[in-house]
């Protein structure tokens, strides 16, 4: 779905939940980094939707302190 609608944060939230369910924290950080990059590259989007940001806070609380591409 994200290939056709990469700006659909509902799909991103689904991907975040599914990735978190695998227990692979490194992969979850990669998804968060990819989402952050997508948001940063979109001239019409200043930040993630509040629902998406809240989910990232819940699943990866340290994400704000980790620079995109970092390892935490």
């Amino acid at each position: 779905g994200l290939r056709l609608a990469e700006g659909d944060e509902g799909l991103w939230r689904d991907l975040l939940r599914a990735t978190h369910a695998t227990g692979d924290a490194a992969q979850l950080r990669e998804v968060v980094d990819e989402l952050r990059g997508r948001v940063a590259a979109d001239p019409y989007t200043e930040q993630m939707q509040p629902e998406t940001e809240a989910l990232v806070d819940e699943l990866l609380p340290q994400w704000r302190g980790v620079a995109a591409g970092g390892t935490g």
Side-chain angles (χ1 to χ4, degrees):
L2 285 172
R3 289 185 182 150
L4 298 175
E6 69 179 21
D8 184 337
E9 288 196 28
L11 294 174
W12 281 101
R13 289 190 294 271
D14 290 345
L15 179 59
L16 288 163
R17 287 184 194 99
T19 304
H20 180 263
T22 69
D24 187 341
Q27 184 65 38
L28 181 59
R29 280 191 300 273
E30 286 184 31
V31 172
V32 170
D33 285 346
E34 186 176 348
L35 173 58
R36 289 168 78 179
R38 199 252 345 135
V39 169
D42 185 341
Y44 302 105
T45 305
E46 294 181 18
Q47 60 188 30
M48 288 182 225
Q49 294 173 355
E51 299 88 348
T52 305
E53 197 167 326
L55 180 61
V56 175
D57 282 338
E58 177 185 332
L59 301 180
L60 190 66
Q62 68 277 17
W63 75 277
R64 292 179 193 273
V66 177
T71 59

